[in-house]
Amino acid sequence: MLYARLILMRLLKAVVVLFMIVIFNFFLIQMAPGDPAAILAGEAGATDQEFLRQLRERFGLDQPLYVQLWRYVSGIAMLDFGYSYRQQMPVLDLILARLPATLLLTGTAFVLSLALGIVAGSMAAARVKKPSGSLIMALALIFYATPLFWVALMAVVLFSVYLDWLPAYGMYTVGAGLDGFALILDVAKHLVLPATTLALFFMAIYTRMTRASMLEASQQDYVKTARAKGLSPRVIQRRHILRNALLPIITLAGLQAGQMVGGAILTETVFAWPGIGRLMYEALMQRDYNLLLGIFFFSAALVIVFNIITDLVYRLADPRIKEGS
């Protein structure tokens, strides 16, 4: 009952936040340079004003701004995100077709970065005055400071071009006709490079945060009491230090989970991964504003969902947190 009420309150707040995001994104797109009708007319080889007028009337661009806003908001309320005139498909169909690929990529990268970051941070905290601990932190700093697109390109050059271990692009082997377990293995093989590349940056953040949190927790009185009782260092590290150090990591992970969707734009573009990040890039280059607005909406919704899940996990990890906090 407690968690049901919490979820209900968060969902009500999410509706308000999404409404504000929809309004903001609409006006942001309106201020963007370029006329979609003029671009389509230029590509069609027609530059006369009558053709431009017909295109604007067809797309509803000739209507006042408040009319366009009302049509857009009322359409979203009915799960109608408009029509992509560049892709010749409804926006909702385009996004739903690409969304599973993005969720697979970002979900794998998130789990990988969080697990490896906590393990590496724990090792660095346990070896704080040893060369191995310094080496872990140095590697974390390198992964944090290195641009994501450069890591992606170097991964393709090394593991795909020179070593020929992993495929360089795509989500599966086109034309192979695989199904069942063979298809799962093929997708997993294509997933290794983009998921690892996306995870490295966030893994570095979790490593540094875990180390700092564990070093702070190791100075608390309950840890000194555990040492006085004669508990082994591994037990103290795992049950008393790491468990209490996880709370700020959970908070950070919830915030970073939504950011991974943005980071997936570069990763999906480099590796030709058919997700909404690559779709967003294509829509931006083609001035497909309806599609861009739909992607913005789904991206914001994903961030809100991740934040709600973080609230629930945070309360499970620390029951002392009250409902109204």
Side-chain angles (χ1 to χ4, degrees), residues 267-286:
T267 307
E268 291 180 0
T269 302
V270 173
F271 293 102
W273 187 265
I276 61 174
R278 186 182 175 197
L279 185 65
M280 182 188 301
Y281 175 78
E282 295 171 353
L284 181 62
M285 293 296 100
Q286 297 171 352

Side-chain angles (χ1 to χ4, degrees), residues 66-78:
Y66 67 90
V67 175
Q68 297 182 43
L69 176 61
W70 170 251
R71 287 181 176 178
Y72 176 63
V73 174
S74 59
I76 288 182
M78 303 298 294

Side-chain angles (χ1 to χ4, degrees), residues 4 12 14 26 46 58 73 83 147 154 156 187 193 236 243 264 274 296 301:
L12 291 176
F26 177 83
R58 179 184 176 187
V73 174
Y83 192 82
M154 292 303 102
V156 170
V187 172
L193 281 184
I236 295 175
R243 185 174 182 180
F296 289 163

Side-chain angles (χ1 to χ4, degrees), residues 155-176:
V156 170
V157 171
L158 177 60
F159 295 104
S160 299
V161 178
Y162 285 107
L163 298 178
D164 196 23
W165 288 354
L166 297 168
Y169 59 88
M171 185 176 176
Y172 51 85
T173 303
V174 179

Side-chain angles (χ1 to χ4, degrees), residues 2-3 6 10 209 213 243-255 305-323 325:
L2 178 63
Y3 289 106
L6 172 65
R10 290 294 185 268
M209 174 63 74
S213 298
R243 185 174 182 180
N244 289 278
L246 285 178
L247 294 179
I249 300 172
I250 292 173
T251 303
L252 181 63
L255 297 174
V305 169
F306 290 144
N307 286 335
I308 294 176
I309 295 175
T310 302
D311 284 341
L312 296 176
V313 174
Y314 207 91
R315 282 160 174 77
L316 290 174
D318 189 356
R320 296 172 298 177
I321 299 178
K322 298 180 180 180
E323 176 186 359
S325 60

Side-chain angles (χ1 to χ4, degrees), residues 187-237:
V187 172
K189 190 176 181 180
H190 283 78
L191 183 63
V192 171
L193 281 184
T196 304
T197 301
L198 183 59
L200 284 177
F201 172 80
F202 296 96
M203 183 194 70
I205 297 176
Y206 298 141
T207 299
R208 296 169 64 87
M209 174 63 74
T210 302
R211 178 182 179 272
S213 298
M214 292 187 67
L215 290 179
E216 181 180 357
S218 65
Q219 303 300 319
Q220 301 299 318
D221 292 336
Y222 56 84
V223 176
K224 297 178 182 178
T225 303
R227 292 195 183 106
K229 289 181 178 180
L231 297 179
S232 65
R234 289 187 178 181
V235 173
I236 295 175
Q237 190 85 356

